[in-house]
Amino acid sequence: GILWVFMARHDKRTPAQIRAISSELRVLNRADGSASFVHGNSRVIAAVYGPTEAKYRDELVERAKIEVIYQPKSGLAGPAEKEKEYIIQSTLEDLILTSLHPRTCISIIIQVMNDDGSMLPIALNGACMALLDAGIPIRKTVSAISLAIAYNGVVLLDPTSVEEQEAKGVLTFGFNSSIRDGVVLTSTTGTFDEESYFACLDLASEASSKIFAFMKLAWEKTTKKTV
């Protein structure tokens, strides 16, 4: 069964508590759009370049090509980073109105500034904010969150690196901005039963609506500044 006991976490949070979130737009001058996204000690900066003319070999006649590069804090990208790139790219391809910009390329560069867990949803949320900043037309906004299932059955929202390493399963969900339309991203590792999966999904749905409200507020603050 699922335990909702108040298990002590490393950072004193309750199991269903998100870390402090912050986001700032227009953090890079040379990008067409940029945003930082922070959960506790986990931080990324996402930059959007484009739409620019695609190289001949990358050119798609019907739509824009979406390119995602996920750069770790140090060293070269390995299989884990490549997997994040693939997940973020496929999610954003469904999100961006690519048919409006055929034969072009839209590049999204995600730079990890500090990795303390839940990096996939933080990177995706940061990328969405940077796309809004760049004025790229999107169907809807996505907000994402990770959860870890501890070996004692406790579900931990927005896990840190240590909690992810100690978990028997880690699940990431992304929801579009009208939550009723459902899940647009599911990524899982490890083992868990059906009851745990649906408990995580319910908690993720509730949390992602709060994250979306925060993203909306951060976006509105930025647009007010420029008006």
Side-chain angles (χ1 to χ4, degrees), residues 136-169:
I136 303 285
I138 54 178
R139 287 186 178 85
K140 51 195 174 275
T141 311
V142 166
S143 58
I145 189 76
S146 285
L147 309 95
I149 302 168
Y151 275 93
N152 62 3
V154 176
V155 173
L156 304 173
L157 188 66
D158 188 22
T160 61
S161 285
V162 171
E163 288 170 340
E164 286 178 338
Q165 285 156 19
E166 292 176 351
K168 68 173 180 178

Side-chain angles (χ1 to χ4, degrees), residues 183-222:
V183 179
V184 294
L185 162 67
T186 307
S187 173
T188 65
T189 58
T191 56
F192 45 86
D193 58 23
E194 194 177 344
E195 189 187 0
S196 298
Y197 176 88
F198 285 109
C200 286
L201 184 60
D202 286 346
L203 189 56
S205 175
E206 196 182 314
S208 77
S209 62
K210 290 175 185 168
I211 294 167
F212 174 67
F214 164 79
M215 289 165 79
K216 189 166 179 259
L217 198 65
W219 168 242
E220 284 168 357
K221 269 186 190 169
T222 305

Side-chain angles (χ1 to χ4, degrees), residues 68-195:
V68 173
I69 297 168
Y70 181 96
Q71 297 175 330
K73 185 178 177 180
S74 58
L76 298 170
E81 286 77 23
K82 293 294 174 195
E83 187 185 10
K84 286 186 181 74
E85 284 179 357
Y86 174 77
I87 293 167
I88 294 166
Q89 182 176 325
S90 52
T91 306
L92 294 181
E93 277 175 346
D94 290 338
L95 192 69
I96 298 166
L97 293 164
T98 53
S99 59
L100 296 180
H101 300 287
R103 300 176 188 274
T104 66
C105 181
I106 298 168
S107 297
I108 299 115
I109 319 282
I110 297 154
Q111 175 64 56
V112 174
M113 307 305 287
N114 202 51
D115 179 348
D116 187 26
S118 299
M119 295 313 291
L120 175 59
I122 294 168
L124 184 59
N125 293 343
C128 284
M129 295 298 278
L131 286 165
L132 286 171
D133 187 38
I136 303 285
I138 54 178
R139 287 186 178 85
K140 51 195 174 275
T141 311
V142 166
S143 58
I145 189 76
S146 285
L147 309 95
I149 302 168
Y151 275 93
N152 62 3
V154 176
V155 173
L156 304 173
L157 188 66
D158 188 22
T160 61
S161 285
V162 171
E163 288 170 340
E164 286 178 338
Q165 285 156 19
E166 292 176 351
K168 68 173 180 178
V170 176
L171 299 85
T172 300
F173 296 100
F175 299 83
N176 71 26
S177 43
S178 47
I179 298 290
R180 283 182 228 92
D181 288 355
V183 179
V184 294
L185 162 67
T186 307
S187 173
T188 65
T189 58
T191 56
F192 45 86
D193 58 23
E194 194 177 344
E195 189 187 0

